[in-house]
Amino acid sequence: MENISKHISTSLIVTTYNWPQALALSLRSAFAQTLPPGEIIVADDGSAGDTRQLVDSLRPLCPVPLVHVWHEDRGFRLSAIRNKAIARAAGDYIIQTDGDIILSPHFVSDHVELAEPGFFVCGSRVKLPREATERLMGRGEARLRLWQLPPAYMANALRSRLLRRFMATRYARKVDHLRGCNMAFWKADAVKVNGYNEDLTQWGHEDGEFAYRLHFAGVRKKALKMGGVAYHLWHSEASKANEQRHFDELARVIEGRLTWCANGIDKYL
């Protein structure tokens, strides 16, 4: 794994929709990585023009190519914009996060450390309280320190290389125990299962459905604990009114041990 990690080409994909203030913090944290990705792709699910302007204004500050992939706003199409970004990616290894996430400086290096053929990797998040989020947004800061967090939030912010490697194949064994805002996989594996299912157009579980198809295609899961720290900015919860449609599709994938979705990434390749 050590030798493999030295030669990985990576693409960091950051999804966003109409919250440029949060995206600015997220991108600044991505610029400050101890191990920069090969490129950063903003996967924009139809934001207004101020998001494009933000990306353009930050591009001179980015140490690697900063790409903006956008499509028209026609409702929640997270799966589609992720597929378009993955198809556009130049890297062999995709590291995926969201535009309301502030990355720890070692986020990319910790993911690359666990990268291994035949595996995808899922990390966790530190949910920031409203007060901490408002303080960060007000100051325009993109870095948190452990002692600035409430005690209840500290556990997911700890980092240990020894424990990280020990827990990689022992923690969170359930396939869809994951967060799409902290996930990594080989581009070739995503293409093998036809990427994200674009028939899933409501909030939630599109990442779990994708993970199960990877699993049934023979790609095993690793958990990234004690590393890859991701701080989730507070915001109001998305509606879960139509969540059952996604549960039904997930159940169909599990029951049939499906590896392929019909409406996926292949149309962009």
Side-chain angles (χ1 to χ4, degrees):
M1 189 161 56
E2 290 284 353
N3 291 334
I4 292 171
S5 67
K6 292 178 181 178
H7 305 289
I8 291 176
S9 61
T10 58
S11 295
L12 177 66
I13 293 178
V14 184
T15 60
T16 192
Y17 176 71
N18 275 338
W19 197 8
Q21 297 87 351
L23 179 62
L25 296 183
S26 182
L27 288 178
R28 289 181 180 278
S29 71
F31 298 170
Q33 293 296 297
T34 57
L35 176 65
E39 63 180 354
I40 300 171
I41 301 176
V42 176
D44 186 348
D45 190 16
S47 298
D50 52 355
T51 293
R52 180 179 295 278
Q53 293 168 9
L54 171 72
V55 174
D56 289 343
S57 71
L58 291 178
R59 189 169 284 113
L61 305 177
C62 187
V64 298
L66 179 60
V67 181
H68 185 214
V69 176
W70 177 91
H71 62 195
E72 183 182 357
D73 187 358
R74 298 208 309 264
F76 187 86
R77 294 193 291 154
L78 177 61
S79 291
I81 199 61
R82 278 180 174 164
N83 280 343
K84 291 173 183 177
I86 294 167
R88 178 76 175 270
D92 296 325
Y93 197 64
I94 307 296
I95 303 172
Q96 183 177 280
T97 190
D98 288 343
D100 58 2
I101 298 289
I102 296 178
L103 309 176
S104 70
H106 302 287
F107 181 83
V108 171
S109 65
D110 289 346
H111 266 288
V112 169
E113 179 186 307
L114 290 190
E116 184 177 355
F119 288 87
F120 67 98
V121 176
C122 302
S124 56
R125 61 178 177 170
V126 181
K127 293 184 70 174
L128 295 178
R130 184 172 188 168
E131 297 76 16
T133 297
E134 291 175 348
R135 183 170 63 251
L136 287 167
M137 300 287 283
R139 296 177 180 174
E141 293 181 354
R143 185 167 185 175
L144 290 100
R145 294 170 177 82
L146 188 63
W147 59 86
Q148 295 175 319
L149 298 174
Y153 293 80
M154 287 183 179
N156 278 342
L158 298 174
R159 187 168 178 266
S160 165
R161 188 180 191 192
L162 180 64
L163 290 175
R164 184 163 60 247
R165 294 194 167 202
F166 176 80
M167 297 174 74
T169 56
R170 295 173 173 87
Y171 182 85
R173 301 296 297 274
K174 186 180 178 184
V175 174
D176 62 344
H177 183 146
L178 53 84
R179 300 286 180 184
C181 63
N182 191 346
M183 187 174 180
F185 47 86
W186 298 93
K187 179 175 179 177
D189 288 335
V191 171
K192 181 167 63 175
V193 300
N194 208 22
Y196 283 90
N197 185 349
E198 296 184 21
D199 287 338
L200 301 180
T201 56
Q202 308 296 332
W203 176 91
H205 312 292
E206 75 292 324
D207 44 12
E209 190 267 356
F210 173 58
Y212 261 107
R213 285 187 284 109
L214 287 171
H215 170 73
F216 292 133
V219 186
R220 298 167 59 195
K221 176 187 173 184
K222 285 185 182 181
L224 176 52
K225 297 296 291 183
M226 293 291 173
V229 180
Y231 301 97
H232 187 198
L233 297 169
W234 179 92
H235 57 77
S236 56
E237 293 281 330
S239 172
K240 301 180 182 180
N242 297 301
E243 191 177 12
Q244 189 59 47
R245 165 70 181 88
H246 289 209
F247 277 133
D248 292 343
E249 184 62 24
L250 180 61
R252 189 180 76 87
V253 167
I254 295 172
E255 181 179 357
R257 301 181 67 84
L258 303 180
T259 63
W260 183 265
C261 66
N263 187 13
I265 198 173
D266 55 347
K267 66 177 77 67
Y268 310 120
L269 298 174

